[in-house]
Amino acid sequence: MALDALLQPVVLFFLLGAGAAFARSDLAIPEAVAKGISLYLMMSIGLRGGGEVAETGLTHDMLLAGGAGLALSFLLPLPAFWLLRTAGKLDRTNAAAVAAHYGSVSVVTFATGSELLRQAGMAPAGYMVGVLALMETPAIITGLLLARAKANDNLASRGGMLHETFLNGSVILLLGSFLIGMIDGKEGLVAVAPVFDVPFRGMLCIFLLDMGLIAARRLLDRRALTLRTAALALVLPLLNGTLGVVLGVELGLDAGSAAALGILAGSASYIAVPAVMRLALPAADPGLYLGMSLAVTFPFNLTIGIAYYGWLSAHLLPILAP
Amino acid sequence: MALDALLQPVVLFFLLGAGAAFARSDLAIPEAVAKGISLYLMMSIGLRGGGEVAETGLTHDMLLAGGAGLALSFLLPLPAFWLLRTAGKLDRTNAAAVAAHYGSVSVVTFATGSELLRQAGMAPAGYMVGVLALMETPAIITGLLLARAKANDNLASRGGMLHETFLNGSVILLLGSFLIGMIDGKEGLVAVAPVFDVPFRGMLCIFLLDMGLIAARRLLDRRALTLRTAALALVLPLLNGTLGVVLGVELGLDAGSAAALGILAGSASYIAVPAVMRLALPAADPGLYLGMSLAVTFPFNLTIGIAYYGWLSAHLLPILAP
Amino acid sequence: MALDALLQPVVLFFLLGAGAAFARSDLAIPEAVAKGISLYLMMSIGLRGGGEVAETGLTHDMLLAGGAGLALSFLLPLPAFWLLRTAGKLDRTNAAAVAAHYGSVSVVTFATGSELLRQAGMAPAGYMVGVLALMETPAIITGLLLARAKANDNLASRGGMLHETFLNGSVILLLGSFLIGMIDGKEGLVAVAPVFDVPFRGMLCIFLLDMGLIAARRLLDRRALTLRTAALALVLPLLNGTLGVVLGVELGLDAGSAAALGILAGSASYIAVPAVMRLALPAADPGLYLGMSLAVTFPFNLTIGIAYYGWLSAHLLPILAP
Amino acid sequence: MTSINRRRRIEVLADEPLISAIVRIAADIGIQHYTLLPTLGGAGSHGRWRDDQLSGATAKVMFLAVTGDDHAQAFADRLAPLLESHHMMLMLSDVDVVRGSRFA
Amino acid sequence: MTSINRRRRIEVLADEPLISAIVRIAADIGIQHYTLLPTLGGAGSHGRWRDDQLSGATAKVMFLAVTGDDHAQAFADRLAPLLESHHMMLMLSDVDVVRGSRFA
Amino acid sequence: MTSINRRRRIEVLADEPLISAIVRIAADIGIQHYTLLPTLGGAGSHGRWRDDQLSGATAKVMFLAVTGDDHAQAFADRLAPLLESHHMMLMLSDVDVVRGSRFA
Ligand SMILES: Nc1ncnc2c1ncn2[C@@H]1O[C@H](COP(=O)(O)O)[C@@H](O)[C@H]1O
Ligand SMILES: Nc1ncnc2c1ncn2[C@@H]1O[C@H](COP(=O)(O)O)[C@@H](O)[C@H]1O
Ligand SMILES: Nc1ncnc2c1ncn2[C@@H]1O[C@H](COP(=O)(O)O)[C@@H](O)[C@H]1O
Ligand code: NA
Ligand code: NA
Ligand code: NA
């Protein structure tokens, strides 16, 4: 599916945005529109996932995948932290902040991955949306523990950091939409499908155009990225993603869901985690963690990572599945 | 239809928004997007209503409903004013300002109500959109008379208050779209239906999510609301709505249209009227009238009021209809 | 097709916007939403045009039309400049700036024209989108030469004027989407058609509502427009458009494509060119060139011009076609 | 060296529906030129607000005008009695401009 | 003639996630009223930025408060040690207001 | 008590397409740090405007930079001859900052 995936409109629009930014064009999506589409994507993903779960009911696989997701989000920051400290030569605070990003997930990488997997006949199960929601925040806790962040820090203690972490708008919207999807079921959602289902892929194109612009502009202003950290921003998704796929296959998930677990593990947050880190670990450099997750890892996953996780899952399944 | 209505995605998204705001999440829809969707809803309602009227032509019912709407908007502020002065213990200015809100209408309550009635097989007639447009402004005039607002007030006289009242953007857009719908008719609108018809309900979901956030945030910051005024914000829609339904049934409207007249009478403005009041009656407290109409009456209508007006209309029709 | 065209929703919404602005209503589309829709229109036009070209492959007509478009954009400013200097009594700088606008094109005029032609059974060929993209910038060069703009001007030399010209966001987006359309072809675009194809006409309605508001407001504040320049803003599109149609028919294009070439030649830029002129020819009056192109020529083309170019093309074809 | 003149910078924070009235009051006094700036939210004696109000009735806009001392004083005198009742904030400060004659 | 009082205008440019903390610090000191203003972009010692950040983590907001000398000094003292580490900019200037008692 | 230094606050209101040129001019003079603020509309000698221009050609942006006296004067000298022809407004005022060495 590799080359095929690269030629999908979603990916091409990402490349168009990146190209425009590299050419230093003034092309820009209004911030309010981009924010609006990102909220739309979360509502849509949540509703569709919830609608599917309403059909299948609670299954064994679902619990396994949820547990695996939680464990990955809590634990993936640990090896990442070690790599960032040793190979990346980062100080404790920066290493911890970056590690938290890689334990958490990218909603748009998941959304794009699901579409590409669906295209390839490997649609992940609906409950993977729940796993996505579960994986957003645990890594933040691990990251803060790794940083040994003091609770009496001047701003974080005042800024309601825990709120930022657990009541983050995107997490609430995703979980809430998932719940609404479960309540109303697929038939209950028919009336809203013309907004939340049918146009999903087209909306993703517009959003990825914007992501291309933002990622490339960040890469151009990469004062915080060194060769070492940029390389780690390629290594970490590969390692984490492989781990995710293997774990998914071992747990007996279907090929699509195992690939999706790989995508989640391999992706890095650039929405929820940076907002918390700015407040909780202000000494960590946003240029570094956004540069790594947004400007290197995200494009890598979009163009190569997703295809690799899908390929890996399809090939491991016959060998490893229990 | 009561519980069923509560479990529709439109209502659930409203509750999700309210829940997020009560939990003090930072979830927010960009202002420009919310404004854009509100304009979309008015274009869509107008076009669809006009398209239906183009099919039926001018009927007797239409004129009756229009006259009833005008009368209601002009007169409903009177009993409301009396209640607000006596039971609500408000001063003249505040009572007049609030009364104007309850004489006028809420477009989104009407839109949601129409969808829920349609779902229950009681779709209101297309001309009710015209009635909606007619009911927006008369109550403002009654309110200003009740307040004995002086025309030589410093700012209002300069600010083009009459303009704000009669050329309010939302009224113009609604009426204009209604007219376009009448000109082009249902067939003429086929080409734009993928935007103005099919996605309506889904767009309403996004908008109601925002309404939930805004209403709940206003309730949290309810410094202007007392127990008395909050209670009146429940009593007024019930009284006005019942009056609207009874009048509609008496005039011989179909059950859906009579219910819609009840919804219009029972709803309170939070877009057109507050903007005029800020200018014309600056001494009136926006925290009070927005608190009542947006934070209490709107959620009440959405969750209970609409279902009640629909139920009342369906049960009164066999008894009262002429 | 004339009256019919006037009664299409797209045109009626333009008139509604204009009417609201003339009545001094406060109706306004949020800037971010209007910008978002304008980006959407360019993506959609590009994709659909590219998708069609992918089907037909590179043809002789395509090259002819492209060459004609380039030539028109480079040369149309010359007679326009002469007219503006003599009949319009403008100074060199202003005449050159205005001439550049009339050599370039208006994307929304093209989009509306294509829809109206399609409706009348004269859909232009997909490659005309490529011609549109080619015609955006050459006129700017001619305009700057006519103005004898000095390269060592204080701001222009610093502001990266060439960038503004050739990497203008809208040109890039249009060309990029056209390319993506060519790569993916019509089948590859099926999954995104619910966003980029089906809702196109409805989105155009919303955008034209905004254009009506903006054009009329500019006309109301027409301090820079004289009777002479306003008259030229009607004459120039007629002349250029006629030239475009005749050239298209002579080159053997089909009736729809020849009409589209007329629309392109007859339309005037109000997005890409003004931005460059503000920087490169600051002494030219933006009130003048935006007043002419946006407040006079655009409404003229929308209501009369497009219908005329279509009529002309249909009637010339049997007479002139080679 | 460019010659620079001291003028008064007037800023008024007011609810959006009041802005057109403020613009007219300024014009009456002779202040014809101004700039409007957006806001996001805030808090005052009448509570917190955010610029997400559907009605725009309580969304606020900043009116900015640079003008001479006399005009500024006249404007402040004219607006002062309205500040409390209309929930507005008025700020005056010194500012230096080039082309002083344009800011009389 | 309207009586006018000199006060201090505090402006802090800070990343959006920090604003709620700044509001609380101001409130602790006794500065309860403020206004938030949007920004578009800029450049500083930590590089360029644009307000198109998905996460909003590096989008900046301007916090504005008008207050008395003592409060302003206390606020500056409180914020000064954080400016460098949190990439903030603090500006203080003089401003004249009517109803001086509201801006103590 | 935090030590505070007086600096100059430069504000330029200019059409959006001119902003990148202004940023470069500032950089040439040595003013590397700045912030851009949005606007909504206004009126001047060239008529009224609103920030709804499709082309953005006449939408305006506020350029803000805090810097030392010399840089501010150099910037004003550089921009003054362009103000009239390019429909710009330049304002200079005093502002106090902490970490004065950053705003030289
Ligand atoms: N005295 C002033 N106070 C505030 N804003 C001004 C003033 N003069 C000009 N402006 C702004 O600068 C823009 C351009 O001014 P002008 O070149 O006079 O048209 C105007 O549209 C206003 O937004
Ligand atoms: N001291 C202040 N500093 C900054 N903004 C203020 C101040 N006082 C009032 N405001 C703004 O003015 C609005 C109205 O003030 P008030 O009438 O006191 O509610 C508030 O919501 C704030 O946005
Ligand atoms: N001298 C200055 N003038 C205006 N804005 C500044 C200045 N210094 C810093 N800023 C703003 O503050 C932000 C953070 O500054 P810094 O911590 O130096 O990166 C910058 O991105 C600018 O937007
Ligand atoms: Na991850
Ligand atoms: Na009512
Ligand atoms: Na042209």
Side-chain angles (χ1 to χ4, degrees):
Chain A
M1 88 189 238
L3 186 70
D4 235 45
L6 268 179
L7 294 181
Q8 292 293 315
V10 279
V11 179
L12 291 177
F13 272 109
F14 177 81
L15 297 176
L16 173 59
F22 281 130
R24 308 211 181 242
S25 161
D26 65 347
L27 184 60
I29 312 282
E31 201 210 349
V33 172
K35 187 79 201 294
I37 298 180
S38 110
L39 296 175
Y40 163 82
L41 294 177
M42 281 181 275
M43 291 171 84
S44 172
I45 293 171
L47 278 179
R48 297 194 297 164
E52 284 181 35
V53 170
E55 284 204 328
T56 56
L58 209 75
T59 66
H60 188 61
D61 275 9
M62 216 172 275
L63 297 178
L64 280 181
L70 273 180
L72 284 170
S73 181
F74 267 119
L75 300 177
L76 286 180
L78 299 176
F81 180 73
W82 179 79
L83 271 173
L84 291 158
R85 288 284 275 163
T86 54
K89 301 203 168 164
L90 296 181
D91 62 39
R92 167 173 290 275
T93 310
N94 274 307
V98 172
H101 286 73
Y102 282 86
S104 183
V105 294
S106 149
V107 176
V108 178
T109 309
F110 175 79
T112 313
S114 302
E115 289 299 310
L116 297 180
L117 289 171
R118 181 161 302 140
Q119 191 93 340
M122 289 172 64
Y127 60 72
M128 288 309 294
V129 173
V131 179
L132 160 70
L134 286 175
M135 288 179 75
E136 288 226 44
T137 43
I140 298 175
I141 298 167
T142 311
L144 295 182
L145 292 174
L146 286 169
R148 298 199 192 132
K150 295 170 214 97
N152 63 345
D153 169 86
N154 265 312
L155 280 182
S157 60
R158 306 239 139 257
M161 204 199 68
L162 282 181
H163 249 92
E164 286 280 336
T165 312
F166 294 105
L167 296 172
N168 183 285
S170 60
V171 179
I172 293 258
L173 189 56
L174 194 62
L175 275 178
S177 304
F178 187 71
L179 218 76
I180 295 178
M182 283 185 60
I183 294 175
D184 283 335
K186 275 204 166 171
E187 331 79 71
L189 298 175
V190 165
V192 299
V195 165
F196 293 114
D197 190 8
V198 185
F200 183 77
R201 202 177 256 250
M203 297 296 274
L204 197 56
C205 286
I206 306 180
F207 196 72
L208 284 174
L209 175 72
D210 192 45
M211 292 289 299
L213 288 163
I214 292 176
R217 287 201 176 115
R218 195 158 271 284
L219 204 59
L220 285 173
D221 186 32
R222 62 178 174 287
R223 63 176 68 209
L225 277 190
T226 61
L227 214 68
R228 285 171 175 279
T229 50
L232 281 176
L234 298 174
V235 169
L236 283 171
L238 272 176
L239 286 183
N240 290 350
T242 304
L243 216 71
V245 173
V246 171
L247 187 61
V249 170
E250 282 288 358
L251 291 174
L253 305 185
D254 58 285
S257 302
L261 194 63
I263 293 171
L264 289 173
S267 72
S269 171
Y270 46 79
I271 299 193
V273 182
V276 178
M277 290 301 148
R278 252 344 256 128
L279 193 62
L281 298 179
D285 184 353
L288 176 69
Y289 49 70
L290 281 169
M292 288 181 69
S293 74
L294 193 54
V296 182
T297 301
F298 180 79
F300 167 77
N301 276 328
L302 208 69
T303 51
I304 301 177
I306 291 171
Y308 161 69
Y309 310 135
W311 171 89
L312 187 67
S313 176
H315 285 75
L316 279 188
L317 199 72
I319 311 174
L320 287 186
Chain B
M1 92 187 235
L3 185 73
D4 236 45
L6 269 178
L7 293 181
Q8 292 292 316
V10 278
V11 180
L12 291 178
F13 272 109
F14 177 81
L15 297 176
L16 174 58
F22 281 129
R24 308 209 180 243
S25 162
D26 64 346
L27 184 59
I29 313 283
E31 203 209 348
V33 171
K35 189 79 201 296
I37 298 181
S38 110
L39 297 176
Y40 162 83
L41 294 177
M42 281 181 276
M43 292 172 84
S44 171
I45 293 171
L47 279 178
R48 296 193 298 163
E52 284 181 34
V53 170
E55 284 204 329
T56 57
L58 209 74
T59 67
H60 187 62
D61 275 9
M62 217 171 275
L63 297 177
L64 280 180
L70 274 180
L72 284 170
S73 182
F74 267 120
L75 300 177
L76 286 180
L78 298 177
F81 180 72
W82 180 78
L83 271 173
L84 291 158
R85 288 285 274 163
T86 53
K89 303 207 165 161
L90 295 181
D91 63 39
R92 167 174 291 276
T93 310
N94 273 307
V98 172
H101 286 74
Y102 282 86
S104 182
V105 294
S106 150
V107 176
V108 177
T109 309
F110 174 80
T112 314
S114 303
E115 289 300 309
L116 296 180
L117 289 172
R118 181 162 301 139
Q119 190 93 342
M122 290 173 63
Y127 60 73
M128 289 309 294
V129 173
V131 179
L132 160 71
L134 287 176
M135 288 180 75
E136 288 226 43
T137 44
I140 297 175
I141 299 168
T142 310
L144 295 182
L145 292 174
L146 286 170
R148 298 201 192 130
K150 295 170 215 94
N152 63 346
D153 170 86
N154 264 311
L155 279 182
S157 60
R158 306 240 140 255
M161 203 200 68
L162 283 181
H163 249 91
E164 285 279 337
T165 311
F166 295 105
L167 295 173
N168 183 286
S170 59
V171 180
I172 294 257
L173 189 56
L174 195 61
L175 275 179
S177 305
F178 187 71
L179 218 78
I180 294 177
M182 282 184 61
I183 294 174
D184 283 337
K186 276 205 165 170
E187 331 77 70
L189 298 175
V190 165
V192 299
V195 165
F196 293 115
D197 191 8
V198 185
F200 183 78
R201 203 177 256 250
M203 297 296 273
L204 198 55
C205 286
I206 305 180
F207 195 72
L208 283 174
L209 175 72
D210 192 44
M211 291 290 299
L213 288 163
I214 292 176
R217 286 200 177 114
R218 195 158 270 284
L219 204 60
L220 286 173
D221 186 32
R222 64 180 172 285
R223 63 176 67 210
L225 278 189
T226 60
L227 215 67
R228 286 172 175 278
T229 49
L232 281 176
L234 298 174
V235 169
L236 284 171
L238 272 177
L239 286 183
N240 291 351
T242 304
L243 217 71
V245 172
V246 171
L247 187 62
V249 171
E250 282 288 359
L251 291 175
L253 305 185
D254 60 283
S257 302
L261 194 63
I263 292 171
L264 290 173
S267 72
S269 171
Y270 45 80
I271 299 193
V273 181
V276 178
M277 289 301 146
R278 253 343 256 130
L279 193 61
L281 298 180
D285 183 353
L288 176 68
Y289 49 71
L290 280 170
M292 288 181 69
S293 74
L294 193 55
V296 181
T297 300
F298 180 79
F300 168 76
N301 276 328
L302 207 70
T303 51
I304 301 178
I306 290 171
Y308 161 68
Y309 310 135
W311 171 88
L312 187 66
S313 176
H315 286 74
L316 279 187
L317 199 72
I319 313 175
L320 287 187
Chain C
M1 90 187 236
L3 186 72
D4 236 45
L6 269 178
L7 294 181
Q8 292 292 314
V10 278
V11 179
L12 290 177
F13 271 109
F14 177 80
L15 297 176
L16 175 58
F22 281 130
R24 307 209 181 244
S25 161
D26 64 346
L27 184 60
I29 312 282
E31 201 210 350
V33 172
K35 188 80 202 295
I37 297 181
S38 109
L39 297 176
Y40 163 83
L41 295 177
M42 281 180 275
M43 292 172 84
S44 171
I45 294 171
L47 278 179
R48 297 193 298 164
E52 285 181 34
V53 170
E55 285 204 329
T56 56
L58 209 74
T59 65
H60 188 61
D61 276 9
M62 218 171 275
L63 296 179
L64 280 180
L70 273 180
L72 284 170
S73 182
F74 266 121
L75 300 177
L76 286 180
L78 299 177
F81 180 73
W82 180 78
L83 272 172
L84 291 158
R85 288 284 275 162
T86 53
K89 303 207 166 161
L90 296 181
D91 63 39
R92 167 174 291 274
T93 310
N94 273 307
V98 173
H101 286 74
Y102 282 86
S104 183
V105 294
S106 149
V107 175
V108 178
T109 309
F110 175 80
T112 313
S114 302
E115 288 300 310
L116 297 180
L117 289 171
R118 181 162 301 140
Q119 191 92 342
M122 290 172 62
Y127 59 73
M128 289 308 294
V129 173
V131 179
L132 160 71
L134 286 175
M135 289 180 73
E136 288 226 43
T137 43
I140 297 176
I141 299 167
T142 310
L144 295 182
L145 291 174
L146 286 170
R148 297 197 194 135
K150 295 168 215 97
N152 63 344
D153 170 87
N154 264 313
L155 279 182
S157 59
R158 306 240 140 255
M161 205 199 68
L162 283 181
H163 248 91
E164 285 280 336
T165 312
F166 295 105
L167 295 173
N168 183 287
S170 59
V171 179
I172 294 259
L173 189 56
L174 195 61
L175 275 178
S177 304
F178 187 71
L179 218 77
I180 294 178
M182 283 185 60
I183 294 174
D184 283 336
K186 274 204 167 172
E187 333 77 72
L189 298 174
V190 165
V192 299
V195 164
F196 293 115
D197 190 8
V198 185
F200 183 77
R201 203 177 254 252
M203 297 296 273
L204 198 56
C205 286
I206 306 180
F207 196 72
L208 284 174
L209 175 72
D210 192 44
M211 291 290 300
L213 288 163
I214 292 175
R217 288 203 175 112
R218 194 158 271 284
L219 204 60
L220 286 172
D221 187 31
R222 62 178 174 288
R223 64 176 66 211
L225 277 189
T226 61
L227 214 68
R228 284 170 176 281
T229 48
L232 281 175
L234 298 174
V235 169
L236 283 171
L238 273 177
L239 286 183
N240 291 351
T242 304
L243 216 71
V245 173
V246 171
L247 187 61
V249 171
E250 282 288 359
L251 290 175
L253 304 186
D254 59 284
S257 301
L261 194 62
I263 292 171
L264 290 173
S267 72
S269 171
Y270 46 79
I271 299 193
V273 181
V276 177
M277 290 301 148
R278 257 338 260 131
L279 192 62
L281 298 181
D285 184 353
L288 176 68
Y289 49 70
L290 280 170
M292 288 181 68
S293 73
L294 193 55
V296 182
T297 300
F298 180 79
F300 168 77
N301 275 328
L302 208 69
T303 51
I304 301 178
I306 290 171
Y308 161 69
Y309 311 135
W311 171 87
L312 186 67
S313 176
H315 285 75
L316 279 187
L317 198 72
I319 312 174
L320 287 187
Chain D
M1 222 179 83
T2 314
S3 95
I4 270 177
N5 311 86
R6 178 134 307 183
R7 292 287 177 274
R8 289 294 265 173
R9 171 191 190 124
I10 303 173
E11 284 159 295
V12 185
L13 182 74
D15 287 353
E16 213 266 306
L18 304 178
I19 292 295
S20 58
I22 292 172
V23 166
R24 283 177 221 207
I25 287 179
D28 281 359
I29 285 169
I31 304 173
Q32 307 274 0
H33 300 172
Y34 62 90
T35 304
L36 303 176
L37 306 166
T39 62
L40 292 175
S45 50
H46 299 92
R48 271 168 168 262
W49 58 278
R50 268 207 200 212
D51 198 6
D52 60 5
Q53 303 313 324
L54 290 171
S55 70
T58 55
K60 293 183 198 292
V61 168
M62 187 76 88
F63 168 92
L64 162 73
V66 175
T67 186
D69 273 345
D70 296 351
H71 278 143
Q73 187 62 49
F75 184 77
D77 290 346
R78 186 81 171 66
L79 224 60
L82 303 172
L83 293 177
E84 195 65 43
S85 60
H86 289 68
H87 308 180
M88 298 191 286
M89 177 167 73
L90 170 66
M91 297 183 283
L92 298 161
S93 54
D94 289 335
V95 70
D96 295 325
V97 294
V98 190
R99 304 178 296 165
S101 59
R102 296 184 117 242
F103 306 88
Chain E
M1 221 178 85
T2 315
S3 94
I4 269 177
N5 310 86
R6 179 134 305 184
R7 293 287 176 273
R8 290 294 265 174
R9 172 192 190 124
I10 303 173
E11 283 159 296
V12 184
L13 182 75
D15 287 354
E16 213 266 306
L18 304 179
I19 292 294
S20 58
I22 292 173
V23 166
R24 281 177 222 208
I25 287 180
D28 281 359
I29 285 170
I31 304 174
Q32 307 274 358
H33 300 173
Y34 62 90
T35 304
L36 303 176
L37 306 166
T39 63
L40 292 175
S45 50
H46 298 91
R48 271 169 168 262
W49 58 280
R50 269 204 195 213
D51 197 6
D52 60 5
Q53 303 313 324
L54 290 170
S55 73
T58 56
K60 292 184 199 290
V61 168
M62 187 77 87
F63 168 92
L64 161 73
V66 175
T67 187
D69 274 345
D70 296 351
H71 277 143
Q73 187 61 49
F75 184 77
D77 290 347
R78 186 79 171 68
L79 224 59
L82 303 173
L83 293 177
E84 195 64 44
S85 60
H86 290 68
H87 308 181
M88 299 192 284
M89 177 168 72
L90 170 66
M91 298 183 283
L92 298 161
S93 54
D94 288 335
V95 69
D96 295 325
V97 295
V98 191
R99 304 178 296 164
S101 59
R102 296 183 119 243
F103 305 88
Chain F
M1 223 177 84
T2 314
S3 93
I4 269 175
N5 311 85
R6 179 133 305 183
R7 292 289 177 272
R8 290 294 266 174
R9 172 191 189 123
I10 303 173
E11 283 159 295
V12 185
L13 183 74
D15 287 352
E16 214 266 306
L18 304 179
I19 292 295
S20 58
I22 292 173
V23 166
R24 282 177 222 208
I25 288 180
D28 280 359
I29 286 170
I31 304 173
Q32 307 274 0
H33 300 172
Y34 62 90
T35 304
L36 303 175
L37 306 166
T39 63
L40 291 175
S45 50
H46 299 92
R48 271 169 168 261
W49 58 279
R50 270 207 199 210
D51 197 6
D52 60 6
Q53 303 315 324
L54 290 171
S55 70
T58 56
K60 292 181 199 293
V61 168
M62 187 75 88
F63 169 91
L64 162 72
V66 175
T67 186
D69 274 344
D70 296 352
H71 277 144
Q73 188 60 50
F75 185 77
D77 290 346
R78 186 79 172 68
L79 224 59
L82 303 173
L83 293 177
E84 195 65 43
S85 60
H86 289 68
H87 308 180
M88 297 191 284
M89 177 168 72
L90 170 66
M91 297 182 284
L92 297 161
S93 54
D94 288 336
V95 70
D96 295 325
V97 294
V98 190
R99 304 178 296 165
S101 59
R102 295 183 117 242
F103 305 90

